[in-house]
Amino acid sequence: MNKTVNINLANTLFHIDDDAYNKLRRYLESIKRSFAGTTGSDEIIADIEARIAELFLEKMENERQVITHKEVDQVIDVMGQPEDYMVDEDIFEDEPKKSRPQQETRNKKLYRDIDHKYIGGVCAGLEHYLGIDALWIRLIFILLAVFTSGFGLIAYILLWILVPEAVTTSQKLDMRGEPVNISNIERKVKEGFDDVADKVKSVDYEKMGNKVKSSSKTFFDTIGDIILFLFKVFGKFIGILLIIIGAATLIGLFFALFTVGMFDAVHFPGVDFYEIVNTTGAPVWVVSILLFFAVGIPFFFVLYLGLKILVNNLKSIGNIAKFTLLGLWLISVGILIALGIRQAAEFSNTGSVHERNELTMENVSDTLVIKMKNPGYEYTRDDVHFGRMSFAYDQNDKRMLISDDVEIRVRKSEDSLVNITVRKDANGSSSLAARERAKKIDFGYELVGNQIILDEYLTTDTSNKARNQEVSVTIHVPEGKMVRFEQSTKYHIARGIENDRDYYRSGIVGYLWKMDKDGELKCLDCPELEDTDDGDGNNKIIINEDGIDIDIKDNQDSFQMKIDEDGIKMKAGQKNNN
């Protein structure tokens, strides 16, 4: 059983084994003796202690871990013994120089250089990290800020917040890629930082020259270094791309949340669209927050990953923050999925209600005229649509939902009276709910003389939401009754109205039709067929307002082509002579 001691090293509390403590104490005392009487000795020793504390923290897995002999030996190996270095080389130039232990190669860490800063030291720190003059880096940030709608400014602020500043001597050495040991700490404190860059460059060139002279680097080593360099460049490019994607998405979500979702400061059509379809009861600002977390948190980690790729020593956001964000994301996604399922259920069932009435005409011999009521003076429609449903306002500025999904069908009556059937359809989460929503559809018609005047729009209250509401009007006409469709019905005539001219939907508008005993409309005033008969009565080309109808036949082959509002139909075949 070993005794443990609590020590305060560079304002950091450590638990250390008693034997390890004695060794560390003797090591620090020898360092103090080595620098006794040296200019700036107090600052040198403080920086050495700070570096030792940093190394201990790197080796500790948790804050309660006890530092042992092993960790102290590892720290001493990194820092070196005082006698390994020539502290006052200028004084003892006549003595033979002791060989210095080979220094470790270190990667540069990104810090903000506050000693050469203009604003936050970001560009000065990037100069050390990238090896590019700070002037060019500042110009790049300015150009990005001007030509990318402020992205350069946002990137600078993010780096200012996330990148730590180089305060201690150890951090400044890390920033320049120099080993943080007793020799370098002492040298930086004594020399200052005015000529550090030149000294570092001279040491680097000397190392490179020695490596070339010794031919220690083979051709394949060089190729490997080039490939590794290319991979690093590609990685940095990926990091920059991830930062741009993440930052742009987060900025867009942020402005959308606080302008549209939270305060509705900017009126976007999407808000009205949400009001039309939403039946979950969740306000738009709640859904906006949920979407912000569900989409924004993954892109935040995309941004964070990009920064981790570019910045080796980026401060971690911590496990608490990571798990908190993960929890928020899971909760937001779960709630959105539940709301989506509930929303989809609103379209799972269709309900219908029917209304059938007899219409009594004053003069049964008159032609039955079918037309639509002109609503131009009654409703003002919005531009926001869900299918054929949109918002509208009546003359009293009452807001409602309105749709032109009204279809007209004509069938043969089973008696001598004109009958009209109105079927209203809507969707809902159940058949009963769908029927209740269908009952709330407002649609009217009236018989004025010999005219059946139908509403061109169906309407319903905004609380009923858009659920594929539609109206189908079937007019039952007695045999022998004359019928005419006015132009206003052109876009409301349903498919499948049988007629002797095979006119399709709007083609029957404007002509006089008679209901025959088979339930087919016979045209009484349609234009005569323009026949281009070649003598055998098999060929015809008809061109009228309904399109082009070509029918060519001979003794061997036949060809038919019809062009109308539904497209092109062609049929070709060989004539059967049997």
Side-chain angles (χ1 to χ4, degrees):
M1 180 180 296
N2 294 330
K3 179 182 177 181
T4 60
V5 179
N6 294 331
I7 62 172
N8 187 335
L9 190 62
N11 296 322
T12 305
L13 183 65
F14 295 98
H15 306 287
I16 186 170
D17 182 88
D18 188 50
D19 293 338
Y21 166 73
N22 291 327
K23 186 170 185 177
L24 178 62
R25 179 176 55 79
R26 290 192 297 270
Y27 177 69
L28 291 175
E29 288 176 352
S30 66
I31 292 176
K32 291 179 181 179
R33 287 194 299 270
S34 299
F35 290 106
T38 303
T39 303
S41 60
D42 292 339
E43 185 178 352
I44 295 172
I45 293 170
D47 285 334
I48 291 174
E49 290 182 354
R51 176 57 179 163
I52 293 174
E54 180 183 341
L55 291 174
F56 280 152
L57 290 173
E58 290 178 358
K59 298 179 183 300
M60 291 176 60
E61 296 181 358
N62 58 73
E63 60 183 10
R64 295 188 178 183
Q65 179 177 336
V66 176
I67 297 173
T68 63
H69 231 282
K70 178 182 177 182
E71 285 78 25
V72 173
D73 288 338
Q74 291 174 347
V75 169
I76 293 175
D77 289 339
V78 173
M79 298 298 295
Q81 294 287 350
E83 60 268 20
D84 292 335
Y85 301 95
M86 297 295 295
V87 178
D88 290 318
E89 293 180 359
D90 295 337
I91 300 176
F92 303 102
E93 291 180 351
D94 295 336
E95 294 185 7
K97 295 185 179 181
K98 300 177 183 178
S99 60
R100 295 173 181 258
Q102 187 174 359
Q103 293 186 342
E104 59 176 327
T105 302
R106 294 175 59 85
N107 292 325
K108 296 178 182 179
K109 294 183 179 180
L110 181 58
Y111 286 97
R112 290 186 288 113
D113 188 354
I114 58 175
D115 293 330
H116 302 89
K117 67 178 182 179
Y118 277 120
I119 301 176
V122 173
C123 297
L126 287 172
E127 176 182 12
H128 299 297
Y129 189 76
L130 301 176
I132 302 173
D133 191 275
L135 175 62
W136 298 109
I137 298 175
R138 292 185 178 103
L139 288 175
I140 290 173
F141 274 111
I142 292 172
L143 292 175
L144 287 175
V146 173
F147 294 106
T148 60
S149 300
F151 175 76
L153 179 61
I154 295 171
Y156 187 91
I157 294 173
L158 287 174
L159 290 173
W160 193 353
I161 295 172
L162 296 173
V163 177
E165 63 182 27
V167 178
T168 66
T169 303
S170 299
Q171 291 172 337
K172 293 176 180 179
L173 289 170
D174 275 337
M175 179 174 65
R176 301 167 190 273
E178 296 186 49
V180 185
N181 51 35
I182 294 176
S183 175
N184 284 334
I185 290 175
E186 184 266 345
R187 179 165 55 87
K188 297 307 175 188
V189 173
K190 290 178 64 178
E191 296 175 356
F193 288 91
D194 292 333
D195 56 346
V196 169
D198 293 334
K199 291 180 180 288
V200 172
K201 289 180 181 179
S202 65
V203 172
D204 290 341
Y205 286 128
E206 183 179 350
K207 281 185 178 181
M208 186 177 298
N210 291 334
K211 289 182 179 179
V212 173
K213 290 177 182 179
S214 62
S215 300
S216 61
K217 203 174 245 250
T218 65
F219 171 76
F220 293 103
D221 292 332
T222 304
I223 295 297
D225 289 343
I226 293 174
I227 295 174
L228 182 61
F229 172 75
L230 292 177
F231 271 111
K232 288 183 178 179
V233 171
F234 179 73
K236 300 298 182 185
F237 173 77
I238 295 297
I240 294 173
L241 187 62
L242 292 177
I243 290 174
I244 294 174
I245 294 173
T249 304
L250 288 174
I251 292 170
L253 287 172
F254 181 81
F255 281 107
L257 172 66
F258 285 97
T259 57
V260 181
M262 295 291 288
F263 305 118
D264 196 18
V266 180
H267 188 75
F268 282 97
V271 178
D272 285 338
F273 179 83
Y274 177 82
E275 292 181 10
I276 291 179
V277 300
N278 174 48
T279 56
T280 61
V284 64
W285 65 269
V286 172
V287 177
S288 299
I289 293 176
L290 293 175
L291 286 173
F292 179 80
F293 287 135
V295 179
I297 291 175
F299 278 96
F300 170 78
F301 282 104
V302 168
L303 172 64
Y304 183 71
L305 177 60
L307 290 172
K308 290 287 285 185
I309 292 174
L310 291 179
V311 184
N312 293 332
N313 60 323
L314 183 69
K315 290 186 292 186
S316 175
I317 62 175
N319 290 332
I320 296 178
K322 290 177 183 178
F323 286 112
T324 300
L325 291 175
L326 177 61
L328 282 174
W329 182 79
L330 291 174
I331 293 172
S332 301
V333 171
I335 296 176
L336 287 174
I337 291 175
L339 293 176
I341 293 174
R342 182 175 177 182
Q343 183 70 27
E346 291 293 323
F347 295 88
S348 59
N349 294 277
T350 302
S352 302
V353 293
H354 295 76
E355 300 175 1
R356 184 182 178 93
N357 291 302
E358 293 182 357
L359 300 179
T360 303
M361 299 180 60
E362 296 178 359
N363 190 346
V364 295
S365 62
D366 286 346
T367 298
L368 179 64
V369 178
I370 302 172
K371 63 186 296 186
M372 312 299 291
K373 182 186 295 185
N374 183 4
Y377 299 102
E378 296 184 14
Y379 303 113
T380 302
R381 302 185 66 179
D382 279 351
D383 294 330
V384 180
H385 294 267
F386 179 71
R388 298 171 71 171
M389 183 74 75
S390 65
F391 282 118
Y393 300 88
D394 62 12
Q395 293 177 338
N396 297 320
D397 288 334
K398 179 184 177 181
R399 200 181 196 196
M400 64 184 66
L401 289 172
I402 189 170
S403 173
D404 61 355
D405 197 353
V406 178
E407 286 192 333
I408 305 172
R409 293 178 173 85
V410 175
R411 298 288 185 267
K412 180 176 175 294
S413 178
E414 297 177 356
D415 50 32
S416 59
L417 298 175
V418 176
N419 297 281
I420 184 169
T421 300
V422 177
R423 191 188 75 191
K424 302 175 182 179
D425 297 325
N427 292 141
S429 58
S430 64
S431 297
L432 180 60
R435 281 178 52 82
E436 290 299 321
R437 183 173 280 114
K439 290 178 181 179
K440 297 177 181 178
I441 296 174
D442 293 324
F443 178 81
Y445 60 88
E446 58 181 336
L447 178 65
V448 179
N450 66 330
Q451 296 181 348
I452 297 179
I453 304 175
L454 307 169
D455 286 348
E456 187 170 0
Y457 297 108
L458 65 90
T459 61
T460 188
D461 192 81
T462 56
S463 61
N464 296 320
K465 306 298 181 180
R467 291 295 177 268
N468 291 333
Q469 288 94 335
E470 60 183 23
V471 168
S472 178
V473 180
T474 302
I475 300 174
H476 301 271
V477 179
E479 179 184 347
K481 186 68 176 177
M482 306 296 182
V483 181
R484 184 187 299 276
F485 293 88
E486 293 292 322
Q487 285 292 328
S488 58
T489 64
K490 182 175 182 179
Y491 300 106
H492 297 277
I493 296 175
R495 298 180 179 88
I497 297 181
E498 298 182 3
N499 61 87
D500 61 343
R501 297 301 181 96
D502 289 330
Y503 287 169
Y504 182 75
R505 301 187 72 174
S506 61
I508 68 177
V509 171
Y511 299 120
L512 183 63
W513 302 88
K514 181 179 180 180
M515 180 64 71
D516 68 3
K517 62 180 181 179
D518 298 322
E520 183 180 62
L521 294 176
K522 300 291 185 180
C523 188
L524 303 181
D525 61 351
C526 292
E528 295 294 330
L529 299 180
E530 299 180 15
D531 194 357
T532 56
D533 195 347
D534 60 359
D536 57 6
N538 290 325
N539 301 326
K540 65 177 182 179
I541 299 177
I542 301 175
I543 302 176
N544 56 26
E545 63 180 354
D546 298 316
I548 303 174
D549 190 354
I550 302 175
D551 188 357
I552 302 175
K553 300 178 181 179
D554 58 22
N555 292 330
Q556 299 296 328
D557 300 311
S558 65
F559 174 79
Q560 292 179 329
M561 182 172 70
K562 187 174 183 180
I563 304 174
D564 56 19
E565 62 181 356
D566 297 319
I568 302 175
K569 298 179 182 179
M570 292 186 292
K571 182 178 180 182
Q574 188 173 5
K575 186 176 180 181
N576 188 358
N577 294 321
N578 294 334

